[in-house]
Amino acid sequence: MGPARVRLRGGAVLAELTARFGAAAHAKVLAGEVVDADGTAVDDATVLASGSHVYLYRELPDEVPVPFDMPVLYRDADIVVVDKPHFLATMPRGRHVAQTALVRLRRELDLPELSPAHRLDRLTAGVLLFTTRRERRGAYQTMFAQGKVRKTYLARAAVDPGLVLPRLVRSRIVKRRGQLQAVCEPGAPNAETLVERLAPDGLYRLTPRTGRTHQLRVQMASLGLPIVGDPLYPKVIPVPDDDFSTPLQLLAQRIEFDDPITGSRRAFVSRRQLQGVSS
């Protein structure tokens, strides 16, 4: 991964970085490991204006290895498609850095410009597409952002005999910074999902028409059918980082789209299976 960019408040760089990030940042400045926008190492006498940026490599936290493989479903000069396991974040965020799909793949495939075209939640498994080169990134990311990709998910949940399915679930979902859960609120709908039950034992097909944060998990919980293994919905259940015993039973099973570069129709399908619902 590249260095972290830090926007300064202005003044003595050493004092500011030490106050904000502690002794580790102090040591990096003295060791010449922090540079300004021109690539010049800052030192204990450097003063920069407010709004200036410096760059440094942050210390990686100790991470619990995610003990599941990530098979490559397809690879060519432009894209890599993988079958992401549960518990592996798509890209670095917070305490998850090395144990992410992006960092693993950059190392394993020796592709330093690899970038995700979209994201899956850390707890969601399934089909995930990456671009291999910077010049291809925009075309594929735009395709996902504009809703031009048909996505199909499978989920396990309880069965409510009184609930009429299939149904199109439309709701307004809001996710606020600093809050673990997204919530449904009154107002114009911004999230739509077609919910179908495929089997009597609680296997569902979910076809989202939008891509809000935690959309499928929130909407299934709103129907009284929270997805099996969900530690956030309908209530938050703390789970240690080293507990891989109860994966969320949600799988990004298939994506289908017209390739923005070649124009050909593409479809990729996960080879993973969901566990059955416990009685």
Side-chain angles (χ1 to χ4, degrees), residues 68-90:
F68 306 112
D69 64 351
M70 183 169 52
V72 173
L73 297 173
Y74 177 82
R75 178 181 179 181
D76 63 22
D78 295 326
I79 62 174
V80 174
V81 183
V82 300
D83 211 351
K84 188 185 84 66
H86 298 284
F87 302 106
L88 191 69
T90 295

Side-chain angles (χ1 to χ4, degrees), residues 12 32 71 82 216 218 231 258:
V82 300
L216 304 180
V218 172
D258 292 325

Side-chain angles (χ1 to χ4, degrees), residues 15 21 28-30 63 81-82 91 98 114 117 152 158 170 176 187 189 196 199 207 268:
F21 304 113
K28 284 182 179 293
V29 171
L30 297 183
E63 296 182 59
V81 183
V82 300
M91 58 191 300
L114 195 76
T152 305
R170 303 177 73 245
R176 293 185 173 84
E196 304 169 271
T207 307
F268 301 104

Side-chain angles (χ1 to χ4, degrees), residues 47-62:
V47 175
L48 293 175
S50 175
S52 300
H53 293 91
V54 293
Y55 299 82
L56 70 157
Y57 286 94
R58 61 175 173 161
E59 297 297 321
L60 294 181
D62 292 331

Side-chain angles (χ1 to χ4, degrees), residues 91-105:
M91 58 191 300
R93 183 178 181 184
R95 65 184 184 274
H96 303 289
V97 180
Q99 291 299 309
T100 61
L102 176 60
V103 174
R104 273 198 189 182
L105 288 169

Side-chain angles (χ1 to χ4, degrees), residues 248-277:
L248 175 71
Q249 293 302 292
L250 180 62
L251 175 68
Q253 192 250 353
R254 178 185 175 95
I255 61 173
E256 187 174 355
F257 56 90
D258 292 325
D259 192 286
I261 304 301
T262 67
S264 61
R265 190 67 174 172
R266 292 184 181 265
F268 301 104
V269 180
S270 172
R271 299 168 186 162
R272 298 185 184 276
Q273 301 292 323
L274 295 178
Q275 299 172 0
V277 178

Side-chain angles (χ1 to χ4, degrees), residues 154-160 163 165 195-206 216-217 219-221 223-230 233 248-250 274-279:
L154 297 180
R156 291 280 186 183
V159 174
D160 179 357
L163 186 66
L165 296 174
V195 178
E196 304 169 271
R197 195 174 78 206
L198 299 182
D201 64 351
L203 178 64
Y204 294 84
R205 178 167 58 215
L206 310 178
L216 304 180
R217 299 162 67 180
Q219 290 184 325
M220 287 295 284
L223 294 176
L225 304 174
I227 297 172
V228 172
D230 196 334
Y233 304 97
L248 175 71
Q249 293 302 292
L250 180 62
L274 295 178
Q275 299 172 0
V277 178
S278 299
S279 57

